Amino acid sequence: MTVTNAHSQKELVKQLLPLVHKVAAQISRRLPPHVTFDDLVGAGLLGLAAALNRFDPERADKFKGYAEYRIRGEILDELRRRDLLSRDARTERKKVQQTIQDLNAKLGRE
């Protein structure tokens, strides 16, 4: 699907709404339950709107691929904005949790 004058932006949004849901569902599988699917879809719609406004047919062959890239990026950006921990702090926390699990397995106790 390419962006042409024959398709209005409204029609493109209707056609690509399932893509927004698909990307949001893929990302939501790896998230804790307090992050709602609707929040991901909302961020994805912002990404779709940005794709509609910024798409340059001269630089990309297909709008759908470009839109998926923008949708995923906007969802991830929104998750980063909401995250209380920095990336380094999250990595350090994972290392500590893994060390605790390793010691529990090695020693056979908490």
Side-chain angles (χ1 to χ4, degrees), residues 100 103-105 107-110:
I100 290 170
L103 286 171
N104 286 344
L107 300 174
R109 61 181 168 84
E110 290 285 322

Side-chain angles (χ1 to χ4, degrees), residues 78-89:
E78 179 63 22
L79 290 172
R80 284 185 200 104
R81 280 191 290 273
R82 292 179 178 207
D83 197 356
L84 298 176
L85 292 177
S86 68
R87 185 177 290 177
D88 291 338

